[in-house]
């Protein structure tokens, strides 16, 4: 697919270091081995040494080239403990920090990112989304001026690629949340070579219906345009008006986004989550994500139903984000 060939070309010369807290999962370990062999990233796999080796032996993985860290025996654990206590600003003692970091692989992996041992993290094959997001919010934290993280999916089918957001995190975003989501999603699109045309979706197009729900999207559009005046953004738009040129000509004439949108901001989590799954299942699109936006460093969440290829592809996305983060630093 065009997207992933582009990402490989971007990632392979740099080879960012990405940590996989779930090194005892065969899908994760298999992807880490492939990523190392293909020269895409430098993987760090986390897990008890004997357990990782047992999985590798069972599935025939050559893990000799991988960096492996066992939280229980990690030689620099004192550095992580001290940094964690400082980061949490008195919310955890050193003893509590040590217990957490040696028992919770996601906290351990997130601290590797925070302290610069890794540039990004991929988890979620064995854990719920909250188990990945919570350490990131507490330790990595949000970029300056950003209030909330949001979860986007890159929807890919052959040479088609779109951004759907928010489909994973915020249940009932307000107008300010939607506006923030809009410009963050545009930035995410640019990371993956998509020239963003952002549509804020509703069940109404340009006042065809009026309710608190539609007015929220109207206000969000105003705020987003105010924040990013040079970015193509429009709303409120029904999906057909956002996507189909002939419908756009009738429902939203004069719009510079309607009929050609490729970044779709949903008005609620239920709409976004249902929408991406319908496109995935009915339309035959591959859904890559959720990709978390707005954090200081890239942390991304797998589905527990993922396969090895999903891990591989989400890691390429995480590595691309890490490169952009490095370039902006």
């Amino acid at each position: 697919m065009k997207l992933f060939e582009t990402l490989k070309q971007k990632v392979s010369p740099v080879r960012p270091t990405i940590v996989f807290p779930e090194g005892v999962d065969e899908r994760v370990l298999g992807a880490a081995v492939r990523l190392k062999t293909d020269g895409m990233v430098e993987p760090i796999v986390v897990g008890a040494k004997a357990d990782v080796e047992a999985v590798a032996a069972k599935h025939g993985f050559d893990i000799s080239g991988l960096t492996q860290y066992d939280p229980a025996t990690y030689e620099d654990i004192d550095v992580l403990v001290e940094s964690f206590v400082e980061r949490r600003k008195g919310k955890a003692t050193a003893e509590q920090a040590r217990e957490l970091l040696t028992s919770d692989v996601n906290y351990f992996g997130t601290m590797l990112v925070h302290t610069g041992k890794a540039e990004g993290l991929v988890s979620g094959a064995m854990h719920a989304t909250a188990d990945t997001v919570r350490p990131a919010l507490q330790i990595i934290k949000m970029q300056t001026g950003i209030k909330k993280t949001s979860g986007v999916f890159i929807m890919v089918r052959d040479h088609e690629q779109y951004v759907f957001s928010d489909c994973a995190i915020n249940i009932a975003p307000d107008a300010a949340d939607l506006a923030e989501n809009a410009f963050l999603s545009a930035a995410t699109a640019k990371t993956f070579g998509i020239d963003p045309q952002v549509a804020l979706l509703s069940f109404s197009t340009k006042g065809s219906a009026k309710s608190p729900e539609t007015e929220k999207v109207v206000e969000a559009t105003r705020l987003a345009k105010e924040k990013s005046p040079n970015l193509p953004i429009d709303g409120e738009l029904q999906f057909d008006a956002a996507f189909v040129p002939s419908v756009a000509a009738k429902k939203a004439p004069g719009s510079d986004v309607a009929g050609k949108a490729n970044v779709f901001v949903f008005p609620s989590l239920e709409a976004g989550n249902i929408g991406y799954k319908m496109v995935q299942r009915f339309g035959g699109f591959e859904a890559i994500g959720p990709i978390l936006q707005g954090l200081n460093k890239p942390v991304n969440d797998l589905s527990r139903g993922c396969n090895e290829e999903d891990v591989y592809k989400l890691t390429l996305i995480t590595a691309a984000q890490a490169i952009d983060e490095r370039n902006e630093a």
Side-chain angles (χ1 to χ4, degrees):
M1 293 181 184
K2 178 183 176 183
L3 171 63
F4 293 103
E5 289 307 313
T6 300
L7 290 177
K8 287 179 179 179
Q9 292 173 14
K10 179 175 184 175
V11 166
S12 59
V14 182
R15 297 178 65 144
T17 301
I18 306 297
V19 60
F20 300 89
E22 301 164 321
V24 298
D25 185 287
E26 67 271 16
R27 299 163 295 177
V28 173
L29 193 58
V33 170
R34 284 177 54 202
L35 288 156
K36 175 70 174 182
T37 301
D38 293 349
M40 295 294 121
V41 305
E42 293 296 335
I44 297 174
V45 296
V46 177
K49 188 173 185 293
D51 293 341
V52 174
E53 290 177 349
V55 173
K58 180 179 178 180
H59 296 277
F61 299 145
D62 179 4
I63 60 172
S64 58
L66 300 184
T67 299
Q68 301 177 55
Y69 290 152
D70 181 345
T73 59
Y74 182 61
E75 61 181 13
D76 289 330
I77 192 66
D78 290 343
V79 174
L80 298 189
V81 167
E82 182 179 352
S83 181
F84 183 87
V85 171
E86 179 182 356
R87 190 63 166 168
R88 296 296 290 141
K89 301 184 183 300
K91 294 180 180 178
T93 66
E95 182 179 353
Q96 290 169 333
R98 188 178 302 274
E99 170 63 26
L100 183 62
L101 294 175
T102 54
S103 63
D104 190 310
V105 292
N106 284 308
Y107 273 96
F108 179 85
T110 303
M111 282 303 301
L112 294 181
V113 176
H114 175 61
T115 57
K117 290 285 188 180
E119 295 174 81
L121 178 148
V122 174
S123 189
M126 301 172 65
H127 294 86
T129 294
D131 296 326
T132 301
V133 174
R134 188 182 303 109
L137 293 177
Q138 291 179 355
I139 298 166
I140 303 298
K141 300 190 177 182
M142 303 304 299
Q143 297 169 11
T144 301
I146 303 299
K147 293 183 179 180
K148 293 181 179 179
T149 188
S150 49
V152 309
F153 282 84
I154 308 295
M155 308 299 294
V156 180
R157 185 179 66 184
D158 298 327
H159 293 294
E160 295 178 82
Q161 49 199 50
Y162 307 101
V163 176
F164 281 21
S165 185
D166 177 1
C167 305
I169 303 294
N170 296 299
I171 295 174
D174 61 20
D177 296 334
L178 290 177
E180 185 174 84
N181 189 357
F183 63 77
L184 285 176
S185 298
T188 296
K190 290 178 182 178
T191 296
F192 306 119
I194 301 170
D195 182 22
Q197 306 284 321
V198 184
L200 283 88
L201 299 178
S202 180
F203 60 83
S204 168
T205 297
K206 299 298 183 182
S208 62
K210 285 192 179 295
S211 74
E213 290 81 7
T214 64
E215 290 303 308
K216 177 180 75 171
V217 180
V218 171
E219 175 63 8
T221 303
R222 185 190 69 78
L223 293 172
K225 288 182 175 181
E226 185 178 273
K227 173 73 175 180
S228 304
N230 297 320
L231 185 67
I233 298 176
D234 203 6
E236 88 276 28
L237 295 171
Q238 291 164 284
F239 181 81
D240 57 354
F243 189 67
V244 182
S246 60
V247 177
K250 295 176 181 178
K251 290 188 173 183
S255 171
D256 59 353
V257 169
K260 58 182 180 180
N262 53 19
V263 177
F264 301 96
V265 178
F266 290 86
S268 67
L269 181 58
E270 61 185 351
N273 192 268
I274 293 168
Y276 101 81
K277 289 182 183 291
M278 290 181 70
V279 170
Q280 179 187 32
R281 301 300 179 181
F282 283 168
F285 278 78
E286 186 172 5
I288 308 298
I291 301 161
L292 303 184
Q293 303 186 128
L295 294 165
N296 280 309
K297 295 182 180 179
V299 171
N300 287 318
D301 179 44
L302 294 158
S303 165
R304 280 175 285 179
C306 68
N307 57 36
E308 183 182 302
E309 187 68 11
D310 295 331
V311 182
Y312 189 101
K313 288 177 176 177
L314 188 59
T315 303
L316 290 178
I317 286 173
T318 307
Q321 290 178 297
I323 291 168
D324 286 352
E325 181 69 30
R326 184 191 293 188
N327 292 339
E328 291 172 6

